[in-house]
Each structure stands twice: as structure tokens, then as C-alpha cells.
Amino acid sequence: MPSTKEIKTRINSVKEMKKITNAMYLIASTKMRKAKNELDSTMPYFDALRGEIKRIFRTAGDVDSKYFYPADGSPVPGNTYGCLVITADKGLAGAYNQNVIKEAQRLLKEHEDTKLFVVGEYGRQFFSKHHIPIERSFLYTAQNPTMQRAREICDILLEMFDAGELSKIFVVYTDFKNGLAADAVSTRILPFHRAQFTSPAQGTAGTVSGEKAVLSPFEFFPSIGEVLDNVMQSYMSGFIFSALVDSFCSEQNARMTAMSAANRNADKLLSELSVQYNLVRQAAITREITEISAGAKAQKMKRRKKVEKP
């Protein structure tokens, strides 16, 4: 059985560890609130972009764009996929990174001709360790995502898509639905389906349920196709930015959950160690009292024998 000194040392160690996990919990919650505020401040702009794309399709439903599936439903040329995998830079976030890796592996298993684009040190280390080739690794940190980084990623993916090196582009990230659920998902961002920006209620007169009809034609310069392509580039940057922020918020939320569980376990361990410490301490006190009593009794008997001795 450990001594009181050893138990006390372990209690102090657990208390110090609890201070660290509690600080990590507070830091993660602060980072998550900041990221959510940044996303909320930029989302109205991209919602407006989506509205303008719908307006273009209401004005000219037969517009052709390389960023959309052909209107006749024919398949897109090429068979090489691009997959942007968003992970964290470090662990201590529960199963957050493992879930993203599993989703990426599922996509690779379904389509072997897939080029990986990785954000986050955890993903880079995992794919390198398992000898899975990475087409492009974005070396900047996955912490504190910015719109500038999203545009850089978007430009690289679009350049390869425009050159015909990629036929489809997917993003594997963690969708931060709310504070209770966060799921690793794979979403195709290119090419888009026209149905994503049109409504089943759209009629031949260019009206959409709940929206006003186009009473007069719009003038697009230099052409409606080039305007749509330019808007889609900005829209795709916004989607990647939202995926980066969602992943970052999910990471911090997972870290908060892990640190909260660590704090509860620390409290439980401290309670058990406290009971054990008290038992050992009480046993030591009892042993000392017993030894003192036995010694006093022995001395008393010794003196009695001396008195009785002739």
C-alpha cells in the first residue's frame, strides 16, 4: 500500500493536471465563440451571392457554366477527384480527427483516383505515416481560419479544375450543427447541381414560389456565363471558409467535451485518493497508538517484575 507521502504527491499532481484541463476548456470555448462570430458576420454576404445565382438562373435557365453539371444531364468529363481534408493540428479533442480520417478513407476506398489536399498537421502526419500520397499540403495552421486562406485554397483547387486535372472536388470536414452534434461529412462542391440554385416551383415565366418574378431582363457584362463563373468562385471561397470555421468550431467543441470529461475524472480520482489518504493516515495513527500502548505496557510490566524480584 502506498504511503501518505506518495498519495499526497499524486493528489497534488492530479490537482495541477486539473488546472491545465480547466484552462484548456476555457481557451477552447473562447476560440469557438470568436470563430462563430466571424462566420456569422460573413455569412450574409454569401447568402446574398446565393440569391444572385438564383436570380441568374431565373433570368436565363439555360446558361452554361463549367462549374455546373450539363443541363442535359450528361456526365462530366474526367475521372480524377480532388478531396480537401480538414483536420486539426493536434489531438486532445476526442474522436474529432479520427472521424475525419475515417470519412476520407471511405472516399478513397470508393474512388481510388483521388488527389488529397490536406489542412491540419494531424492529417498530414497520418497520411504520411500510412504512405498515402498527398497532392498538396497547406502548411499554415488549421487554427483561426481566415477568408484569405480560404481564397488561397479555392484558387488552387479551381486552377486544377479549370485545367481538367480534377473532374470533381469534395471537402471532408466536420459539420458543426450545434453544440450537441458534430458529424464528419464529405460534400461535393464542384461541379454543382443546378437544382441547388433553382426551385421545383419555378415556372416558365421565371417565377419562383415566394419570390418576385423577373419583370425586366437583366444585362450581364461581358456575358452571363462569365458573370456566373465569377460569382461561383466567390461562392466556393465562402463554402470553404465556412467548412474551415465549422471544423475549427467542432474541434474546439470536441476539446471542450474532452476537457470537461477530464475534469470530472480528476474530481472522481481526487475523491478516491482523498479517501485512500485518510484510510492510510488513520491506519498509521492507529499503528502508532498501538505501538505506544504496547511499549507503555511492556515498561509497566518490566517495572512490576523489578518490584516483585526479591
Side-chain angles (χ1 to χ4, degrees), residues 120-152:
E121 184 63 28
Y122 190 97
R124 288 193 290 269
Q125 294 293 336
F126 177 86
F127 291 119
S128 298
K129 182 179 179 180
H130 291 78
H131 307 290
I132 300 176
I134 299 175
E135 178 69 19
R136 177 68 181 267
S137 180
F138 301 99
L139 298 180
Y140 43 72
T141 176
Q143 304 292 309
N144 303 321
T146 62
M147 191 63 213
Q148 179 61 32
R149 293 175 181 173
R151 289 194 179 99
E152 292 175 0

Side-chain angles (χ1 to χ4, degrees), residues 24 53 81 147 149 220 245 266:
M24 292 180 66
I53 297 171
Y81 292 0
M147 191 63 213
R149 293 175 181 173
F220 298 93
V245 175

Side-chain angles (χ1 to χ4, degrees), residues 85-303:
V85 183
I86 303 176
T87 64
D89 290 326
K90 51 189 176 182
L92 297 176
Y96 166 78
N97 288 300
Q98 289 81 356
N99 291 337
V100 175
I101 295 297
K102 287 180 182 178
E103 184 65 22
Q105 289 179 312
R106 184 190 65 80
L107 190 63
L108 289 172
K109 186 177 181 180
E110 292 180 356
H111 192 86
E112 295 183 358
D113 189 9
T114 300
K115 296 182 178 180
L116 289 178
F117 301 82
V118 182
V119 174
E121 184 63 28
Y122 190 97
R124 288 193 290 269
Q125 294 293 336
F126 177 86
F127 291 119
S128 298
K129 182 179 179 180
H130 291 78
H131 307 290
I132 300 176
I134 299 175
E135 178 69 19
R136 177 68 181 267
S137 180
F138 301 99
L139 298 180
Y140 43 72
T141 176
Q143 304 292 309
N144 303 321
T146 62
M147 191 63 213
Q148 179 61 32
R149 293 175 181 173
R151 289 194 179 99
E152 292 175 0
I153 296 173
C154 179
D155 290 342
I156 293 173
L157 294 176
L158 284 180
E159 182 179 353
M160 297 185 68
F161 183 83
D162 294 339
E165 298 178 28
L166 301 175
S167 60
K168 294 182 181 180
I169 298 177
F170 292 81
V171 178
V172 178
Y173 69 104
T174 307
D175 186 11
F176 185 69
K177 298 179 180 179
N178 49 57
L180 301 176
D183 300 324
V185 296
S186 58
T187 303
R188 190 194 69 252
I189 57 174
L190 280 181
F192 292 95
H193 275 298
R194 297 170 186 266
Q196 295 177 245
F197 300 94
T198 57
S199 170
Q202 184 171 352
T204 57
T207 60
V208 179
S209 177
E211 298 182 8
K212 295 181 179 180
V214 180
L215 301 179
S216 59
F218 290 93
E219 182 179 354
F220 298 93
F221 182 83
S223 67
I224 189 171
E226 292 188 28
V227 171
L228 180 59
D229 291 347
N230 184 64
V231 173
M232 291 308 303
Q233 292 178 5
S234 299
Y235 181 79
M236 183 177 170
S237 298
F239 187 94
I240 292 177
F241 176 65
S242 66
L244 290 172
V245 175
D246 273 345
S247 295
F248 181 69
C249 290
S250 299
E251 175 195 350
Q252 301 308 320
N253 183 68
R255 184 162 291 114
M256 288 170 60
T257 302
M259 294 304 104
S260 179
N263 287 336
R264 291 194 300 270
N265 292 335
D267 289 334
K268 182 179 179 182
L269 184 58
L270 286 173
S271 178
E272 294 174 353
L273 289 173
S274 179
V275 172
Q276 186 179 4
Y277 176 81
N278 291 333
L279 290 175
V280 173
R281 182 169 174 269
Q282 187 63 43
I285 293 173
T286 302
R287 185 174 62 252
E288 290 177 2
I289 293 175
T290 302
E291 291 174 354
I292 292 173
S293 299
K297 185 177 181 181
Q299 291 295 326
K300 185 177 180 180
M301 293 182 66
K302 184 177 181 181
R303 287 194 299 269

Side-chain angles (χ1 to χ4, degrees), residues 69-90:
Y69 277 99
D72 58 3
S74 58
V76 294
N79 196 36
T80 302
Y81 292 0
C83 181
L84 175 64
V85 183
I86 303 176
T87 64
D89 290 326
K90 51 189 176 182

